[in-house]
Amino acid sequence: MRKAKELERWRREPISDLAVGREAVWSFKVDRLEEQIDTYWKQRAHVNWFRFGDRNTKYFHNACSVRKRRNRIGRMLREDGSWVEEEGEKKDFISNYFLQLFSTSVSADEGQLQRLISAVQPRVTPAMNAQLMSEFIEEEIKQDLFAIGDLKPPGLDGLPTVFYKTFWDVVGVRLTREAMEVLKGGRIPTSWNEMTIALIPKTEKPEWVTDLRPISLCNVVYKVVSKVLSNRLREVLLAIITPNQCAFVSGCLISHNILITYELTHYLLNKREGELAYAALKLDMSKGMIE
């Protein structure tokens, strides 16, 4: 900001200060270039805990190289035991797998869906519903935008959150108006829903498609709208989530269920007395099968 003010002052001063002005321009450009290079490597490294140190250090370069090697997807194994090695074949193979996984072969029956919903006991009270349906305010848009990390992976537009934070005075009014229109029931523009799907390996050397975890890289505007809605839902989340559901609940860890499962398994293995018997079922929820 200080350099920008100096440039503006130089622009208004007489031509006699041209030499000083040129030096200011050169210094400003060098600083901006260093900042851009530094931001580029930080964004590629995705090291959230690193906050201080030399600019554009070798550390970031090494972190990027390690991350790239770790996230590289090698050959994939088919169910018949054959390998998929060509890049084009891997793309089609992985795309077809997730397309089948996230699609349904059962036609939607509105009557059947309503009967299913009617059998579920409501947990949202009228007071909760009124709270959820309360009017959105413009301050929520800016507050939730600035709560998103600066260099979180951007969507197809390539603009990270730090762009909107830096130029909020320019784009803030337009972004707020667009987001408020959607939150009030308007249609989401098609471009907002266009996302980049990234596959993150779950293991050191993934071979099966199930070893890859897909994540969606959304545009910032889409993130803001979803964050506003999630924050509104968070206010009543603890009242509608059952106690045995620990994942994605504030103050709870999914490891709690792992510990409970371990204790139950230990009890089943060591039960020697009593006429009442117990059994355990392991469910593969991704395939809807009982192993």
Side-chain angles (χ1 to χ4, degrees), residues 64-126:
C64 294
S65 300
V66 172
R67 185 180 180 88
K68 183 177 181 180
R69 288 196 300 268
R70 185 174 65 246
N71 290 338
R72 185 179 182 277
I73 300 175
R75 59 179 185 174
M76 293 276 95
L77 186 63
R78 294 191 180 96
E79 293 184 357
D80 60 3
S82 59
W83 292 95
V84 181
E85 300 184 8
E86 297 294 334
E87 291 298 326
E89 294 181 358
K90 284 192 294 184
K91 178 181 177 181
D92 295 337
F93 176 69
I94 296 174
S95 299
N96 292 333
Y97 171 81
F98 285 107
L99 184 62
Q100 296 177 5
L101 180 64
F102 294 113
S103 60
T104 177
S105 58
V106 180
S107 58
D109 185 352
E110 186 66 24
Q112 184 179 7
L113 180 61
Q114 292 299 327
R115 290 192 297 270
L116 178 62
I117 294 177
S118 62
V120 178
Q121 184 178 0
R123 299 185 64 90
V124 178
T125 63

Side-chain angles (χ1 to χ4, degrees), residues 4-271:
K5 290 182 179 179
E6 291 179 0
L7 287 177
E8 180 63 21
R9 179 178 57 81
W10 167 78
R11 187 179 68 84
R12 298 177 181 274
E13 289 178 350
I15 194 67
S16 58
D17 293 335
L18 184 59
V20 178
R22 286 178 177 175
E23 182 179 354
V25 171
W26 177 251
S27 177
F28 176 76
K29 289 184 176 181
V30 170
D31 289 346
R32 287 297 304 273
L33 180 60
E34 290 179 351
E35 291 178 1
Q36 291 173 0
I37 295 176
D38 187 41
T39 303
Y40 168 77
W41 285 106
K42 283 185 178 180
Q43 189 172 6
R44 285 197 61 190
H46 287 282
V47 181
N48 295 325
W49 57 265
F50 192 86
R51 291 293 180 270
F52 305 99
D54 295 334
R55 299 159 62 93
N56 194 20
T57 60
K58 185 178 179 181
Y59 169 80
F60 289 112
H61 295 257
N62 293 334
C64 294
S65 300
V66 172
R67 185 180 180 88
K68 183 177 181 180
R69 288 196 300 268
R70 185 174 65 246
N71 290 338
R72 185 179 182 277
I73 300 175
R75 59 179 185 174
M76 293 276 95
L77 186 63
R78 294 191 180 96
E79 293 184 357
D80 60 3
S82 59
W83 292 95
V84 181
E85 300 184 8
E86 297 294 334
E87 291 298 326
E89 294 181 358
K90 284 192 294 184
K91 178 181 177 181
D92 295 337
F93 176 69
I94 296 174
S95 299
N96 292 333
Y97 171 81
F98 285 107
L99 184 62
Q100 296 177 5
L101 180 64
F102 294 113
S103 60
T104 177
S105 58
V106 180
S107 58
D109 185 352
E110 186 66 24
Q112 184 179 7
L113 180 61
Q114 292 299 327
R115 290 192 297 270
L116 178 62
I117 294 177
S118 62
V120 178
Q121 184 178 0
R123 299 185 64 90
V124 178
T125 63
M128 294 180 186
N129 187 61
Q131 184 179 359
L132 293 173
M133 298 298 293
S134 60
E135 192 74 17
F136 293 97
I137 58 177
E138 295 184 354
E139 286 75 10
E140 291 181 88
I141 307 298
K142 182 178 181 180
Q143 179 181 351
D144 291 335
L145 171 68
F146 278 75
I148 303 175
D150 289 348
L151 298 178
K152 292 294 183 181
L156 289 177
D157 58 8
L159 297 177
T161 314
V162 66
F163 168 81
Y164 295 90
K165 293 180 181 180
T166 304
F167 300 102
W168 179 256
D169 294 339
V170 180
V171 302
V173 175
R174 178 66 179 274
L175 186 146
T176 302
R177 183 172 66 248
E178 296 283 347
M180 288 294 293
E181 183 178 348
V182 173
L183 290 171
K184 291 180 179 180
R187 293 180 60 86
I188 298 179
T190 305
S191 58
W192 290 19
N193 258 337
E194 295 178 351
M195 307 175 186
T196 301
I197 305 298
L199 301 176
I200 308 300
K202 300 178 184 178
T203 60
E204 290 292 334
K205 295 182 179 180
E207 295 182 348
W208 298 91
V209 186
T210 52
D211 295 334
L212 304 174
R213 181 176 70 253
I215 62 172
S216 301
L217 307 184
C218 313
N219 294 327
V220 173
V221 186
Y222 185 94
K223 292 180 182 179
V224 171
V225 173
S226 61
K227 191 172 183 63
V228 172
L229 294 175
S230 63
N231 286 340
R232 181 69 61 89
L233 182 61
R234 183 180 300 175
E235 299 175 358
V236 300
L237 194 62
L238 293 179
I240 62 178
I241 296 294
T242 56
N244 59 327
Q245 293 178 293
C246 294
F248 309 109
V249 178
S250 178
C252 300
L253 297 174
I254 195 172
S255 57
H256 294 170
N257 282 345
I258 298 176
L259 296 175
I260 294 175
T261 304
Y262 177 82
E263 293 294 335
L264 291 175
T265 306
H266 177 76
Y267 172 78
L268 293 176
L269 293 176
N270 292 275
K271 187 177 183 301

